[in-house]
Amino acid sequence: EKIKKAKMPEDIEGKARKEAKKLAQMAQFNPEAGYIRNYLEWLVSLPWAVKSQNNLDIKTAEKILDEDHYGLKKAKERIVEYLAVHKLAGKMKGPILCFAGPPGVGKTSIGKSIARSLGRKFVRVSLGGIRDEAEIRGHRRTYVGALPGRIIQGIKDAGTRNPVFMLDEIDKVGTDFRGDPSSALLEALDPEQNNQFSDHYLEVSFDLSDVMFVTTANVLDTIPPALRDRLEVINFAGYTHDEKFKIAREFLLKKQIENHGLTLDKIEITDNAVRFIIEHYTREAGVRSLERQISAILRKAAKLIAEGRVKKLKVSAKDVTKHLGPIKISSTILEEKDEIGMSTGLAWTEAGGDILFIEVALMPGKGQLILTGQLGDV
């Protein structure tokens, strides 16, 4: 009955019925019986014919993406385009996007809102530190405790054959004597081949062409060239001060005030205070450290309110140093007049641009100029 209900493709159903027949003829004490039973349970529980309805309303999708994230125009545009094509063409092979950028800029969390905007299920598998190829492709059925790989497990958990599937930290997959997991990903992440994805455990092919794969990476250099070739890379740059301010105002403050058991009538952090924190206490591309600094202030406020010392706390730019200690990052001073023996340079860092003052120093020696470090073409 379960095999019939699963609505598998014909050839796979034939295999399942054959295995079921084998199981029926076996004595229940036969150790093989357990293996076959497990295998059949995996086969019938996979969503061979279950699909979640796509939400093809482009306006709604745009609204949801904007609700969850500020900025990130490139990524949002790409998702809306995918929706538009899907709406016109009816079927489109799931694209394989790769969000690359520094930590804390919202790569993983935008995966969740993609799923929400498409009205699909969301599955996330973290590949950080996976060294065993069987984690992706599964083990052969003959081993004790054999299981399908993470991809098939994720599809089963989602319960539909078209989820948004996030492979987190694809740049941190290790290679080892147990095989190379990134090579096992090549088939799953190729829209031309993945309609016949074969898992060692299932021994039959599963169609992954409806799955929307989203991968994330901090650096692209460690991804093998063959794998990088299959990914459509969308670069996430860091946020500017203004963007960070907007994110703090619209997202972080609300979230953290709720987390700390406070309400808006008990605490008020002025706009100037938020800008002061961004400029003098954080240096990063994302907003994680900013969130930590905000929650540090809220903890102090929670303590004062819980002790009954104040009814309402107002934090202005002047009070920030009182709560967070002395300024950690001072901004670069503008040169008033030209100095002899000193020139100004600009540097690129993940946390935004920087001004460098390069000074001349007299040294004894032959007068050779040695350049060190990674100097690009300038």
Side-chain angles (χ1 to χ4, degrees):
E1 273 173 23
K2 278 185 181 170
I3 291 172
K4 205 193 228 152
K5 257 193 213 137
K7 297 205 179 92
M8 315 175 184
E10 269 174 42
D11 49 335
I12 296 167
E13 191 171 321
K15 186 172 169 90
R17 286 185 185 284
K18 207 162 112 193
E19 294 286 324
K21 201 167 158 197
K22 210 193 277 180
L23 183 65
Q25 291 164 350
M26 255 178 203
Q28 69 214 52
F29 309 111
N30 191 335
E32 190 90 328
Y35 296 163
I36 293 183
R37 188 180 191 94
N38 267 350
Y39 174 67
L40 277 172
E41 269 169 12
W42 268 101
L43 273 189
V44 294
S45 63
L46 280 175
W48 298 98
V50 186
K51 268 187 175 182
S52 47
Q53 260 332 97
N54 267 339
N55 159 34
L56 290 177
D57 188 355
I58 292 172
K59 284 274 183 292
T60 317
E62 275 181 344
K63 199 172 126 236
I64 289 176
L65 290 172
D66 285 335
E67 262 170 37
D68 293 355
H69 290 83
Y70 178 80
L72 305 183
K73 260 175 67 184
K74 266 276 173 44
K76 289 178 183 172
E77 244 171 45
R78 180 66 187 82
I79 292 137
V80 173
E81 283 163 12
Y82 168 71
L83 260 179
V85 173
H86 215 298
K87 192 171 183 173
L88 297 177
K91 163 131 171 61
M92 182 194 182
K93 288 186 174 139
I96 284 130
L97 306 177
C98 175
F99 297 148
V105 292
K107 299 187 295 291
T108 308
S109 66
I110 201 163
K112 284 197 189 103
S113 47
I114 291 174
R116 214 169 72 108
S117 65
L118 292 171
R120 292 188 185 188
K121 288 280 199 306
F122 178 70
V123 189
R124 180 179 158 272
V125 171
S126 181
L127 298 179
I130 283 188
R131 290 218 179 99
D132 189 354
E133 183 231 9
E135 290 274 340
I136 306 235
R137 271 217 187 261
H139 303 83
R140 292 246 170 259
R141 236 166 64 184
T142 47
Y143 296 112
V144 176
L147 275 176
R150 292 282 177 93
I151 292 181
I152 293 291
Q153 284 178 34
I155 299 276
K156 182 196 165 193
D157 293 344
T160 69
R161 45 178 283 188
N162 62 345
V164 172
F165 203 114
M166 176 159 255
L167 299 165
D168 232 353
E169 315 288 0
I170 199 170
D171 54 333
K172 296 179 187 59
V173 175
T175 317
D176 170 314
F177 60 90
R178 286 169 292 204
D180 176 5
S182 57
S183 313
L185 281 170
L186 293 180
E187 184 189 12
L189 295 183
D190 188 345
E192 294 301 318
Q193 298 171 30
N194 67 9
N195 56 354
Q196 292 271 314
F197 176 72
S198 69
D199 186 278
H200 286 329
Y201 182 82
L202 291 185
E203 294 174 1
V204 291
S205 56
F206 190 86
D207 181 0
L208 293 178
S209 62
D210 290 331
V211 179
M212 182 171 190
F213 282 103
V214 179
T215 61
T216 71
N218 294 128
V219 276
L220 293 170
D221 313 341
T222 52
I223 304 176
L227 186 55
R228 202 184 334 170
D229 184 49
R230 288 163 162 76
L231 306 174
E232 183 178 331
V233 178
I234 295 176
N235 278 306
F236 278 42
Y239 294 117
T240 61
H241 279 343
D242 289 339
E243 286 179 318
K244 281 186 195 174
F245 172 72
K246 285 259 175 46
I247 291 169
R249 261 269 154 270
E250 291 170 25
F251 300 94
L252 305 181
L253 269 171
K254 287 177 193 163
K255 181 172 135 194
Q256 290 303 333
I257 285 175
E258 219 169 85
N259 285 356
H260 286 75
L262 300 165
T263 50
L264 287 169
D265 48 358
K266 286 185 185 162
I267 177 139
E268 183 192 344
I269 299 181
T270 63
D271 288 1
N272 288 345
V274 176
R275 286 188 196 279
F276 192 80
I277 297 171
I278 293 169
E279 272 162 43
H280 297 298
Y281 290 89
T282 62
R283 263 203 71 157
E284 48 165 2
V287 287
R288 279 204 188 117
S289 160
L290 172 60
E291 197 167 3
R292 272 193 292 266
Q293 302 296 349
I294 289 173
S295 63
I297 287 186
L298 294 179
R299 280 198 303 275
K300 301 256 190 310
K303 182 180 167 219
L304 290 172
I305 291 167
E307 285 173 351
R309 281 202 254 166
V310 288
K311 279 273 188 294
K312 177 175 180 173
L313 188 71
K314 185 177 176 184
V315 182
S316 65
K318 290 201 292 289
D319 310 327
V320 172
T321 45
K322 194 170 75 188
H323 295 298
L324 292 180
I327 285 174
K328 291 181 185 166
I329 292 139
S330 54
S331 41
T332 323
I333 315 129
L334 185 76
E335 267 188 282
E336 292 294 310
K337 54 182 196 296
D338 276 347
E339 293 276 337
I340 292 175
M342 185 168 175
S343 74
T344 318
L346 294 176
W348 178 91
T349 65
E350 272 195 341
D354 231 342
I355 297 174
L356 309 170
F357 292 118
I358 302 159
E359 293 190 46
V360 169
L362 281 173
M363 309 277 277
K366 288 185 188 156
Q368 288 166 314
L369 178 66
I370 300 169
L371 300 174
T372 61
Q374 285 186 315
L375 294 168
D377 304 334
V378 179

